[in-house]
Amino acid sequence: MPTPATPETIPDIGEDIHTGTGSGLESRVVVYNCDCHTYKQVIELFCRFIPGMTSAKAFELAYRIDHEGQAIVFTGSTERADDIAAKLAGGGLKVVVQ
């Protein structure tokens, strides 16, 4: 993510942020930093394709990706994770399902 889009306020990222359901045997969608999208673009993709995503959560995840190199953006069924990952990848994000 380009530096000019860096926010003025730094969110508290001490807590893991996950969306989706949590029954234990699930897949995770991990997004990696690629320095090719603005915060706005990433937030819009997250809000469009990740169930339950809010702008605030999306911003915190985008910040974490920008500063830590990656973040888990969804945890849920493998089928749902694959679908979300495909949509995010279609938007140009570097993403894997684990």
Side-chain angles (χ1 to χ4, degrees):
M1 288 172 231
T3 308
T6 301
E8 291 183 20
T9 57
I10 299 172
D12 176 17
I13 57 171
E15 170 183 335
D16 283 339
I17 303 165
H18 304 280
T19 59
T21 59
S23 66
L25 299 174
E26 298 157 331
S27 294
R28 302 178 300 177
V29 176
V30 180
V31 176
Y32 294 92
N33 190 16
C34 64
D35 290 325
C36 54
H37 294 85
T38 65
Y39 273 72
K40 182 179 179 183
Q41 291 168 326
V42 173
I43 291 166
E44 287 173 356
L45 287 168
F46 287 175
C47 289
R48 179 189 286 171
F49 297 124
I50 301 173
M53 184 60 64
T54 65
S55 294
K57 284 183 189 176
F59 172 79
E60 290 176 30
L61 289 166
Y63 183 88
R64 178 175 288 170
I65 293 164
D66 188 29
H67 290 84
E68 296 179 12
Q70 67 181 10
I72 297 169
V73 300
F74 177 82
T75 302
S77 71
T78 300
E79 181 180 338
R80 195 87 186 259
D82 286 340
D83 181 56
I84 291 167
K87 290 174 179 173
L88 294 176
L93 299 180
K94 290 183 180 179
V95 59
V96 297
V97 175
Q98 298 178 335

